[in-house]
Amino acid sequence: MSTLINNTEKFAAPAGRLLLALIFFMSGLTKITQFEGTQGYMEMMGVPGALLPLVIITEVVFGLAVILGFKTRLAAFALAGFSILSAIIFHADFSNQAEMTNFMKNFAIAGGFLMIVANGAGSFALDNRNKANA
């Protein structure tokens, strides 16, 4: 039984990092291919479209960093803040059930990232490469 628990603990962190961050990585790549449409949506919501390159960089770079476990706490903290900010800007129409769900989803994702900030990357992370050599 202890082997099962050890294996679960060993693989839960990288699986969790992947599942949390993949949405940002893929969303950032999609924004590149749908740049004009995304920029228009941002402007419709009162956000300057000129910020879109920063949004893409944030999603792709920090998403990939969390997936790989590189500078994981910093990347997770950045994506937690990004999730909360995007919830407030884009999903705060509480009269719309779908937007309320998206608002809460973003806050739940932020909570997952804050757990990474608190507990670190876990196993199979680039952050651990120096620990193995020490």
Side-chain angles (χ1 to χ4, degrees), residues 11-133:
F11 293 107
R17 290 194 325 264
L18 175 67
L19 294 173
L20 271 171
L22 190 59
I23 190 172
F24 293 93
F25 181 72
M26 296 304 296
S27 179
L29 295 179
T30 300
K31 285 177 175 69
I32 294 169
T33 63
Q34 299 175 3
F35 195 91
E36 289 180 13
T38 304
Q39 196 171 42
Y41 175 72
M42 288 174 64
E43 289 170 354
M44 183 182 75
M45 298 301 289
V47 178
L51 293 176
L52 182 54
L54 180 60
V55 169
I56 292 169
I57 290 167
T58 298
E59 289 185 328
V60 171
V61 171
F62 289 133
L64 188 59
V66 169
I67 291 167
L68 297 175
F70 178 73
K71 303 287 183 185
T72 313
R73 286 185 162 139
L74 172 66
F77 186 76
L79 288 175
F82 182 85
S83 296
I84 292 168
L85 188 60
S86 64
I88 292 167
I89 293 171
F90 296 104
H91 303 298
D93 179 4
F94 301 129
S95 66
N96 180 329
Q97 183 62 41
E99 290 303 324
M100 175 62 121
T101 299
N102 283 327
F103 184 90
M104 295 306 298
K105 172 198 56 101
N106 280 32
F107 269 75
I109 290 170
F113 282 126
L114 291 175
M115 291 297 293
I116 292 174
V117 171
N119 296 301
S123 57
F124 301 108
L126 292 176
D127 287 344
N128 298 330
R129 70 190 183 283
N130 290 334
K131 293 177 188 173
N133 297 330

